[in-house]
Amino acid sequence: MNFLFLLIIAAVAAYLLRSPLKAHPSLFYSIAAMLVLLYFFGATFGVPRWLWMPLVDLIQKCELAVALFAVVMLIGCLGKEQTLYRRMKPIRAELSIIACILCLGHMAVYLGSYLPRLLGNASINSNVAVAFGVAVALFVLLALLGVTSLGIVKRAMSSRRWTRIQRFAYLFFALIFCHLALMLLPAALHGGVAAQESLFVYTAMFGAYGILRLGKAAAERHEQARGNATGAPSITKEEETSIGNAA
């Protein structure tokens, strides 16, 4: 259940730090990059156990990145008229970019571990092989969506093209769940309590997101249709389909 605790901390921290994050995003990107570098330093040269264990959970297991992506996802489920949505929406891109940076440490570790085995035709669990394939797709989407979440890149693109690219955020989130499920399922089926608990939490979280996001989309379509029927000017839909503004 550690992930639930981390998710709560990430959500509270994002809310409290929303103003400095929006004003100085580069500072937070640098902190995320330093955490990744610290993890690699610890893996290479060693660090005290009290520091290493949190780094394993936060970086190697990618829990902090997933928690930040979850915050981004759940913000998108809030109604646009809600105060919390208006306060948190402006930092969704920044939160996503931080999560992307943190993901790089996780991806580098497992790429270095599994790629040589796959290329060398070594025996590998089918679940892990499929999960690795999903991870490659996630890496491509992470690069595409992460780069286009940067303000300078977004401003250089047409609104239509940017929106089309950012719609892949929904596929990205779905693949995150598939990857997690594939990695956890074997241990969960063999009675691993920690794996079972983690799988339950992730399933509940992504399932709730899917239901809430579909509900919000249906409500928006209904509101738009009602506005068209009455001849009233419809409210322009905000561009929120991105790894930073979507979900």
Side-chain angles (χ1 to χ4, degrees):
M1 292 298 180
N2 289 338
F3 178 77
L4 278 179
F5 181 64
L6 181 60
L7 176 58
I8 293 171
I9 292 177
V12 172
Y15 180 81
L16 295 176
L17 296 173
R18 64 189 186 281
S19 295
L21 174 56
K22 191 64 182 178
H24 308 286
S26 297
L27 172 62
F28 291 86
Y29 302 159
S30 298
I31 293 173
M34 288 173 61
L35 278 175
V36 174
L37 291 175
L38 180 60
Y39 168 77
F40 285 126
F41 178 87
T44 305
F45 300 104
V47 291
R49 182 178 174 81
W50 61 265
L51 178 59
W52 177 245
M53 295 311 297
L55 286 173
V56 169
D57 288 335
L58 297 178
I59 306 299
Q60 182 174 311
K61 295 182 179 179
C62 211
E63 290 186 357
L64 181 54
V66 174
L68 291 175
F69 281 134
V71 173
V72 172
M73 290 161 51
L74 297 175
I75 291 171
C77 297
L78 299 171
K80 294 179 182 178
E81 73 285 350
Q82 292 182 281
T83 301
L84 184 59
Y85 177 83
R86 295 181 182 278
R87 289 180 178 177
M88 297 298 289
K89 181 184 180 298
I91 62 166
R92 296 178 77 197
E94 288 78 10
L95 289 174
S96 297
I97 292 170
I98 293 171
C100 288
I101 294 170
L102 294 171
C103 276
L104 295 177
H106 169 80
M107 290 182 168
V109 169
Y110 288 98
L111 182 67
S113 174
Y114 290 110
L115 186 58
R117 294 166 61 185
L118 288 169
L119 295 178
N121 296 319
S123 175
I124 192 168
N125 183 283
S126 59
N127 262 50
V128 174
V130 175
F132 184 83
V134 172
V136 172
L138 280 170
F139 176 76
V140 174
L141 289 172
L142 182 78
L144 178 65
L145 295 169
V147 169
T148 51
S149 288
L150 293 169
I152 189 172
V153 176
K154 179 180 177 180
R155 289 190 293 271
M157 300 175 64
S158 68
S159 176
R160 182 183 297 273
R161 185 180 181 188
W162 182 84
T163 301
R164 286 178 176 174
I165 290 174
Q166 293 294 324
R167 288 191 185 279
F168 283 107
Y170 297 109
L171 175 61
F172 178 78
F173 292 138
L175 288 178
I176 288 178
F177 174 71
C178 290
H179 178 68
L180 290 168
L182 285 167
M183 295 302 293
L184 291 169
L185 192 58
L189 291 176
H190 284 84
V193 175
Q196 291 173 350
E197 290 179 347
S198 296
L199 188 58
F200 174 79
V201 170
Y202 289 133
T203 301
M205 182 182 72
F206 281 93
Y209 164 71
I211 293 171
L212 292 172
R213 193 62 188 87
L214 289 173
K216 180 179 177 179
E220 288 174 343
R221 286 195 297 269
H222 177 72
E223 182 180 350
Q224 186 176 21
R226 185 175 60 181
N228 292 337
T230 59
S234 58
I235 299 174
T236 302
K237 290 187 68 175
E238 300 176 22
E239 291 178 336
E240 43 172 1
T241 48
S242 82
I243 198 170
N245 290 322

